[in-house]
Amino acid sequence: MDFGYIQTILPALLQGTVQTLKIFVFTLLFSLPLGLPIAFGTMSRIAPIKLLSKAYVWVFRGTPLMLQIFFFYYYIPIFTPIKIDRLPAAVFTFVLNYAAYFAEIYRAGIQSVGRGQREAAKSLGFSYWQTMRMVVIPQAIRQIIPPVSNEVITLIKDTALVYVIGVPELMKAARDANNRDVNPMAYLIAAIIYLLLTFVFTLLSQWLEKRYSRHERTDAV
């Protein structure tokens, strides 16, 4: 193993990792809360809201993420006067895409809470939103942590797709080094960095699952 070569390419790979983490953090920051109103929209009794919310989820879950990245970066400027730079276009696409997935996870978690508990809250005089905030959502959180954690880990790997529009993230840095030096070592290091990132977030998700499982057992007692 050529450690001298590794030292040469490592700074570029680390800079790419910073870009990867930026996409990751901003995507979670906006998509996690955005998924909740979309989830409520899919369960709404108002037909237009329900139809639009379901259509949104269907479109973003039913088309490839790479195609969505191409669309927002290349085609939006063609049909509108809006010009989006590479990184904002990537983040914007990821937020819309992952919000659709989180919305479905939230919907399933909310609907998994027993109907009897909602009726009990209603008999106590709780409004719909009070029931959701104080009864349904706290219980749904326990159900949604594992699938949300899986999506978060998938997001780390999906960030590699933005190299197709030239965002200088980790995969693009590795690709550039390989094309320049005809040496696959950059891909190996990139793989190790991805593994380390997913390992850290896997540990975090396991900690969250144990924490909420402990609370569930305490509540049962």
Side-chain angles (χ1 to χ4, degrees):
M1 184 175 291
D2 188 347
F3 290 102
Y5 178 68
I6 292 175
Q7 289 179 342
T8 300
I9 63 174
L10 192 58
L13 294 177
L14 293 178
Q15 287 179 1
T17 303
V18 171
Q19 290 291 85
T20 292
L21 289 174
K22 282 182 181 179
I23 298 168
F24 174 79
V25 170
F26 281 118
T27 298
L28 287 186
L29 185 63
F30 293 104
S31 64
L32 282 171
L34 179 60
L36 192 57
I38 297 171
F40 280 116
T42 61
M43 297 182 289
S44 175
R45 295 179 181 178
I46 302 173
I49 294 177
K50 185 173 184 177
L51 180 62
L52 286 173
S53 298
K54 283 185 172 292
Y56 173 92
V57 172
W58 176 64
V59 168
F60 279 96
R61 294 182 74 219
T63 55
L65 178 55
M66 183 178 290
L67 181 62
Q68 295 167 23
I69 294 171
F70 279 132
F71 177 80
F72 284 106
Y73 182 67
Y74 290 112
Y75 289 96
I76 291 297
I78 294 176
F79 298 107
T80 70
I82 301 173
K83 172 65 177 175
I84 309 177
D85 290 335
R86 288 182 175 85
L87 184 59
V91 171
F92 184 69
T93 306
F94 271 78
V95 168
L96 294 180
N97 179 275
Y98 271 82
Y101 282 91
F102 289 139
E104 278 296 278
I105 293 172
Y106 296 160
R107 179 195 58 77
I110 290 170
Q111 292 181 337
S112 71
V113 178
R115 187 179 184 86
Q117 298 195 43
R118 305 185 194 198
E119 294 175 350
K122 186 177 180 180
S123 68
L124 293 173
F126 286 15
S127 68
Y128 174 81
W129 292 111
Q130 285 176 323
T131 301
M132 283 292 170
R133 181 169 56 86
M134 293 187 285
V135 178
V136 176
I137 291 179
Q139 295 183 66
I141 288 175
R142 300 166 184 166
Q143 304 297 325
I144 69 176
I145 285 178
V148 166
S149 298
N150 289 336
E151 288 298 326
V152 169
I153 292 170
T154 300
L155 171 59
I156 298 172
K157 296 177 287 184
D158 278 351
T159 56
L161 294 175
V162 302
Y163 85 88
V164 297
I165 59 172
V167 177
E169 47 72 61
L170 176 57
M171 181 57 71
K172 185 176 186 302
R175 184 186 178 91
D176 289 346
N178 179 73
N179 291 343
R180 183 187 66 243
D181 304 324
V182 195
N183 189 329
M185 180 61 67
Y187 284 130
L188 176 60
I189 298 173
I192 293 172
I193 294 174
Y194 280 119
L195 284 171
L196 289 174
L197 292 176
T198 55
F199 177 69
V200 169
F201 286 103
T202 298
L203 291 179
L204 179 60
S205 67
Q206 290 175 348
W207 176 79
L208 286 172
E209 288 180 36
K210 289 180 181 178
R211 182 170 180 267
Y212 276 93
S213 296
R214 185 173 67 249
H215 287 175
E216 187 174 6
R217 290 194 296 270
T218 303
D219 294 342
V221 174

